[in-house]
Amino acid sequence: MTSERVTEAPEEGYERGLGSRQVQMIAIGGAIGVGLFLKAGANIEKAGPSLILMYALAGVIIFFIMRALGELLLYRPVSGSFADYSREFLGPFFGYFTAWTYWLMWVVTGMAELTAAAIYINYWFPAVPQWVTALVFLVILFGVNLISVKLFGELEFWFSMVKVTALIGMIVIGLGVLTFGFSAAGDTASVSNLWQFDGFFPKGIGSSLMTLQGVMFAYLAVELVGVTAGESENPEKTLPKAINTLPWRIGLFYVGALTVILCVVKWTEFTEGVSPFVKAFAMIGIPAGAGIVNFVVLTAALSSCNSGMYSTGRMLRTLADNGEAPRAFSKLSASKTPALGITVSVLFMGIGVVLNYVVPEKAFGYVTSVATAAGIWTWLMILVSHVLYRRAVDAGRLPASSFPAPGGALCSYIAIAFLLFVTGLIAYDADSRVCLYVMAVWAVALGIGWLFLKKRTPEIADRREPELERVG
């Protein structure tokens, strides 16, 4: 049995409209978001240059998570994968809980991205209220996601292209300032900026570790490539390639970009609420440079919100297919998109517009902490499912994946321990602890919902064997 190999998921009705080019860029774009472009400013203020080390450490863990997910995806590639694997390996309740929690993660992430986009627009148009900008972007992206997966993929491709090109440009310009000393920052730019101002850990190691919760938010969405599995033209080729390129993406776009910026501009210049990239280019003094970078970070926010609409609709369809959400969510539109699920998700994202009206200065912080907690749960379910899958393979109960994770389940155990440590940091921090209260209420609500579902449809709690199509 272990010689058999799963080649594709059963037909789910989706259009396999995402080509290799688009899957690669979705994977790249997922590693570059508002967490880096905006939230990094607050984290630099807390940790100084040591933030580079925190991004590198978290990046290693993210790679472990993605290789675990990659092994599962090539065992059985399905759209809405995290919930399906939780359902298969941990039981129906965990599949139900994970799907709804991943939906929540993207809804609140969408709120965060809309908030960030509104903040960026204020750079050019300070008189425009944040809630107005957030509402306009919400409506535009909603229309894009209703049309077709191909349009989503194409828009995400170009969003990601802008981010990647700009980040590489920033790194090149920063290296030029360091090497040749041109621009207004040339006289003070130096690698010694990494330790010259109170050392590499200016606020202490404890303060640096506390930034890990914000760093993990920056990596939310790298797992999105798993949601695209059911709509990828050739998942056996595109998914391993997308996952294996993750280390250099993290090394270049996070560790590399932050290292260059913190060499060019001393860390004490950065503050919360201001993008370190916009600040750096303003200090370098390149004409219109800060405005260009602001446009780039705006596309990053819109890209993430676009991805959120894509994934939430598919998660609601997965839930409906399993009887864990209203059956209406399982229907596809004429363009083969889960239109009703996307519509309902967008209505909930509209709460972010309300938050931008009521508490514009706090909206971003509120929703990012909740998104991080929901994301950690999703990653934990991926890792635990991977550990249980490896046990089943070793016992000969399931076929081996064509894309095994290096180190087997060991790296998954390490990643699980790390995520539990970050959860402890969140609980310790009074400012972010509120998200755990929100998640506790969410868990109670889902628990009540599950009891209601079991009473109405008892068979929903029965384990079902996944439909696999194998060759060999």
Side-chain angles (χ1 to χ4, degrees), residues 186-471:
D187 293 337
T188 57
S190 170
V191 176
S192 64
N193 283 342
L194 295 180
W195 60 82
Q196 195 169 359
F197 300 94
D198 297 324
F200 190 69
F201 292 92
K203 300 289 183 73
I205 294 177
S207 183
S208 298
L209 289 174
M210 290 303 294
T211 64
L212 280 173
Q213 51 188 301
V215 169
M216 296 311 288
F217 173 77
Y219 286 123
L220 290 183
V222 293
E223 77 292 325
L224 182 64
V225 68
V227 183
T228 70
E231 292 167 275
S232 303
E233 289 175 352
N234 191 348
E236 284 215 349
K237 289 184 178 179
T238 57
L239 295 178
K241 186 177 179 182
I243 291 169
N244 279 335
T245 56
L246 188 64
W248 73 258
R249 283 185 269 133
I250 289 173
L252 178 65
F253 298 134
Y254 280 93
V255 178
L258 277 175
T259 300
V260 170
I261 280 193
L262 289 172
C263 287
V264 171
V265 180
K266 60 184 180 180
W267 72 269
T268 53
E269 298 287 344
F270 300 107
T271 56
E272 183 175 0
V274 178
S275 167
F277 294 89
V278 174
K279 176 77 172 180
F281 270 70
M283 294 190 68
I284 288 172
I286 297 175
I292 293 170
V293 175
N294 199 65
F295 170 74
V296 172
V297 295
L298 173 62
T299 65
L302 297 179
S303 167
S304 188
C305 189
N306 188 39
S307 297
M309 290 183 190
Y310 169 88
S311 58
T312 48
R314 279 134 187 94
M315 274 296 159
L316 287 180
R317 186 172 187 241
T318 296
L319 284 159
D321 285 343
N322 286 282
E324 297 160 354
R327 296 295 300 174
F329 288 133
S330 66
K331 296 178 182 177
L332 294 178
S333 66
S335 58
K336 296 186 178 180
T337 61
L340 180 61
I342 294 171
T343 302
V344 170
S345 300
V346 166
L347 289 175
F348 276 93
M349 286 182 190
I351 295 172
V353 176
V354 177
L355 284 175
N356 275 285
Y357 178 74
V358 178
V359 283
E361 70 287 349
K362 295 182 179 179
F364 188 74
Y366 283 160
V367 293
T368 54
S369 62
V370 175
T372 303
I376 287 174
W377 172 268
T378 300
W379 290 334
L380 282 171
M381 289 302 97
I382 292 171
L383 293 165
V384 173
S385 296
H386 177 251
V387 168
L388 295 176
Y389 166 69
R390 289 302 297 246
R391 287 181 185 174
V393 171
D394 293 341
R397 296 193 304 271
L398 287 176
S401 171
S402 60
F403 187 48
L410 176 62
C411 292
S412 290
Y413 281 118
I414 294 171
I416 289 169
F418 180 86
L419 292 179
L420 293 176
F421 173 68
V422 173
T423 304
L425 293 177
I426 292 173
Y428 180 77
D429 184 5
D431 291 334
S432 59
R433 192 183 303 148
V434 64
C435 74
L436 297 182
Y437 302 141
V438 172
M439 291 304 295
V441 172
W442 176 252
V444 170
L446 287 183
I448 293 170
W450 180 250
L451 292 175
F452 172 77
L453 286 171
K454 276 178 62 177
K455 185 175 181 180
R456 192 186 65 180
T457 317
E459 62 270 19
I460 201 171
D462 296 336
R463 280 184 179 265
R464 284 163 284 173
E465 290 297 318
E467 297 176 35
L468 304 178
E469 181 179 325
R470 301 190 184 97
V471 296

